[in-house]
């Protein structure tokens, strides 16, 4: 008799905040239906003998369509997410340069974004929005109620620079109003107001913390004096001090307004220390945990240009310690598909960002669990459970518990592969992790109870759903 749609048999199940158990997992109607020994009676069975079963990762920092057509990015880059065991992506979107290259009210623009992504995403997906104008700030109550957008963003260096830090005509880039600390205050004030009327949901503002006035001084120095304009120079032009000061500025306004904040992509020991002293949740990325600008400069090219910059091994280890001791709440990819032609050979006009979603669980397993001894439950927390809790997805995402969405990935703990661009199934034509040996790769990724990725290939067609989080 068929009782379940899918069974995952004989695997080691990783339960965030609890640990590991050897058990079978049953799926019915797109949700996890049972967990136990010797379950049977399913239409389809995944043999997970000798493998690890993790809750599907929630890649909470993504940039669909920032440099390419939104629909194409949705298809190719969420496909890449499956390779790394991510079953949900939360993507940032704003008006201004890049993305749709225009401004206007979100009542008009956001439905266009949803139409472009709908039917093309392999994972479930949601959005964080950045209010770039006062009009958009006033739309926040409607965005929460109508579209379930409960997380927003402010870019602290946009008051003085464009995205690449190549121009100081910030207003031409944002196409918005005065984008300064006053604008940040208005966003926080509005979020705190809406939060009071919605105590059942966490409304939060995610912060890109780099202080533009200090960036101006350091970038001017580097452009005048650095013999080689490379990734080391880029880090020197945007040093950790710019993160420290921006975190302090934002924290002061958050304390005054009562807004809840997330400190994004912390890149340095100093940034982690500063963010750990104030209320808020903290994120870092795979590249800030693992990459060193001197190593990338030795290989040549500007593929590793990203904001905030890649630092050094000492900063890597400080951030890993934050993952270990709980100061870092989650790890994300900050995935932004950026082709090599947009990097070029001139540091300052080069587009920042690159893809990495396909490496989310593999790098955390290889570098976090195998190399540094982090428990698998901690890996599941920083990749899945904690971002789900932060962004109003807990109860559906982030766990293998009965009743949650049947989003999971089966990882072969002995599979060792050398990272190549082709392996990642992204549209991007380069990767800063190229040539790195990584152990622990998903063999199967399940989204909503349906096998979407198996043995290096996608299965079927995209079936990801939009996540209304309010």
């Amino acid at each position: 008799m068929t009782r379940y749609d899918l069974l995952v048999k004989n695997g080691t199940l990783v339960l965030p905040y609890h640990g590991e158990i050897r058990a079978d997992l049953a799926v019915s109607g797109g949700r996890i239906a049972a967990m136990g020994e010797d379950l049977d009676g399913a239409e389809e069975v995944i043999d997970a003998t000798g493998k690890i079963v993790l809750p599907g990762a929630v890649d909470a920092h993504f940039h669909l369509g920032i440099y390419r057509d939104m629909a194409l990015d949705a298809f190719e880059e969420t496909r890449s997410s499956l390779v790394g065991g991510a079953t949900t992506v939360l993507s940032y979107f704003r008006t201004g340069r890049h993305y749709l290259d225009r401004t206007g009210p979100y009542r008009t623009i956001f439905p266009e974004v949803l139409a472009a992504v709908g039917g093309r995403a392999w994972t479930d997906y949601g959005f964080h929005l950045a209010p770039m104008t006062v009009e958009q700030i006033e739309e926040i109550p409607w965005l929460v109620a109508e579209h379930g957008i409960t997380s927003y963003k402010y870019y602290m260096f946009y008051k003085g620079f464009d995205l690449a830090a190549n121009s100081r005509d910030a207003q031409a880039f944002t196409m918005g109003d005065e984008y300064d600390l006053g604008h940040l205050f208005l966003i926080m004030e509005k979020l705190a107001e809406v939060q009071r009327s919605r105590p059942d949901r966490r409304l939060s503002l995610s912060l890109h913390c780099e202080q533009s006035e200090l960036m101006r001084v350091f970038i001017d120095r580097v452009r005048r004096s650095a013999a080689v304009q490379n990734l080391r120079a880029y880090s020197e032009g945007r040093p950790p001090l710019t993160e420290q000061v921006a975190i302090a500025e934002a924290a002061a306004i958050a304390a005054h307004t009562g807004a809840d904040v997330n400190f994004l992509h912390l890149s340095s020991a100093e940034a982690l220390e500063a963010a750990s002293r104030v209320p808020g949740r903290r994120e870092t990325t795979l590249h800030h945990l693992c990459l060193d600008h001197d190593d990338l400069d030795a290989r040549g090219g500007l593929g590793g240009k990203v904001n905030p910059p890649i630092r050094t091994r000492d900063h890597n280890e400080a951030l890993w310690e934050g993952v270990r001791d709980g100061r870092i709440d989650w790890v994300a990819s900050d995935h932004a598909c950026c082709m090599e032609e947009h990097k070029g050979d001139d540091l300052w006009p080069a587009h920042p960002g690159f893809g990495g979603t396909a490496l989310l669980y593999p790098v955390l397993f290889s570098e976090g669990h195998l190399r540094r001894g982090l428990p698998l439950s901690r890996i599941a927390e920083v990749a899945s459970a904690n971002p789900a809790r932060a962004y109003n997805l807990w109860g559906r995402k982030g766990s293998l518990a009965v009743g949650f969405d049947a989003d999971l990935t089966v990882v072969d703990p002995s599979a060792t592969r050398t990272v190549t661009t082709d392996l990642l199934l992204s549209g991007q034509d380069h990767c800063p992790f190229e040539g790195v040996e990584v152990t622990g790769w998903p063999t199967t990724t399940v989204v909503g109870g349906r096998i979407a990725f198996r043995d290096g290939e996608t299965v079927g067609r995209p079936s990801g759903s939009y996540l209304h989080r309010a």
Side-chain angles (χ1 to χ4, degrees), residues 212-432:
S212 64
E213 287 94 336
L214 290 172
M215 282 174 55
R216 173 181 60 80
V217 172
F218 290 115
I219 288 173
D220 281 350
R221 287 180 180 177
V222 167
R223 295 186 78 152
R224 284 196 309 265
S225 61
V228 180
Q229 300 288 304
N230 56 10
L231 298 180
R232 172 187 275 271
Y234 197 62
S235 178
E236 291 172 350
R238 307 172 75 135
L241 178 62
T242 68
E243 291 184 276
Q244 286 179 285
V245 173
I247 288 167
E249 289 178 332
I253 299 173
H256 180 83
T257 59
D260 209 345
V261 297
N262 312 302
F263 296 104
L264 301 183
H265 43 44
L266 299 175
S267 75
S268 63
E270 293 89 339
L272 175 59
E273 181 181 357
S276 298
R277 290 196 297 262
V278 296
R281 304 195 194 191
R282 294 166 291 275
E283 170 196 279
T284 194
T285 69
L286 297 176
H287 45 277
H288 289 121
L289 285 169
C290 296
L291 298 180
D292 177 283
H293 55 56
D294 287 340
D295 292 344
L296 294 179
D297 283 337
R299 285 168 44 186
L302 299 172
K305 179 180 177 181
V306 68
N307 301 334
I310 289 167
R311 308 292 186 190
T312 64
R313 292 294 174 204
D314 286 344
H315 290 295
N316 295 160
E317 292 308 319
L319 293 169
W320 273 117
E321 188 57 31
V323 174
R324 179 191 303 279
D325 65 23
R327 287 175 295 159
I328 295 290
D329 291 290
W330 65 86
V331 178
S333 71
D334 195 0
H335 186 99
C337 180
C338 182
M339 308 302 281
E340 206 155 23
E341 66 177 301
H342 292 131
K343 294 291 186 180
D345 55 10
D346 189 346
L347 174 64
W348 298 102
H351 287 7
F354 47 79
T357 187
L359 298 170
L360 193 48
Y361 266 135
V363 165
L364 287 172
F365 184 86
S366 191
E367 292 294 309
H369 177 63
L370 294 181
R371 184 175 177 185
R372 293 173 176 84
L374 295 180
L376 289 175
S377 57
R378 180 63 182 151
I379 299 299
E381 288 158 21
V382 298
S384 185
N386 286 352
R389 285 182 179 274
Y391 293 121
N392 299 305
L393 292 171
W394 187 251
R396 292 188 59 187
K397 312 293 185 184
S399 176
L400 299 177
V402 171
F404 278 65
D405 289 355
D407 296 345
L408 59 95
T409 192
V410 180
V411 172
D412 183 345
S414 63
T416 299
R417 295 174 187 158
T418 300
V419 175
T420 65
T421 301
D422 291 343
L423 177 65
L424 308 183
L425 297 188
S426 166
Q428 187 172 280
D429 55 2
H430 68 99
C431 177

Side-chain angles (χ1 to χ4, degrees), residues 136-210:
Q136 291 173 358
I137 294 174
E138 293 303 315
E139 291 182 292
I140 288 175
W142 177 81
L143 288 165
V144 172
E146 182 71 17
H147 292 291
I149 306 289
T150 58
S151 46
Y152 296 82
K153 186 172 184 180
Y154 181 79
Y155 304 78
M156 296 193 71
F157 73 95
Y158 279 2
K159 65 178 175 176
F161 287 90
D162 68 356
L163 181 60
N166 190 47
S167 169
R168 291 184 187 154
D169 188 357
Q171 200 153 11
F173 176 77
T174 63
M175 301 184 193
D177 298 325
E178 194 73 26
Y179 198 81
D180 55 12
L181 291 181
H183 191 80
L184 174 59
F185 174 84
L186 292 176
I187 296 173
M188 288 190 178
E189 187 178 55
K190 179 60 69 174
L191 282 173
E193 173 191 316
V194 179
Q195 179 70 84
R196 288 191 289 272
S197 68
R198 290 301 306 267
D200 58 319
R201 290 291 182 269
R202 177 182 185 251
L203 270 65
S204 64
L205 183 65
S206 294
L207 296 160
H208 181 135
C209 290
E210 292 180 281

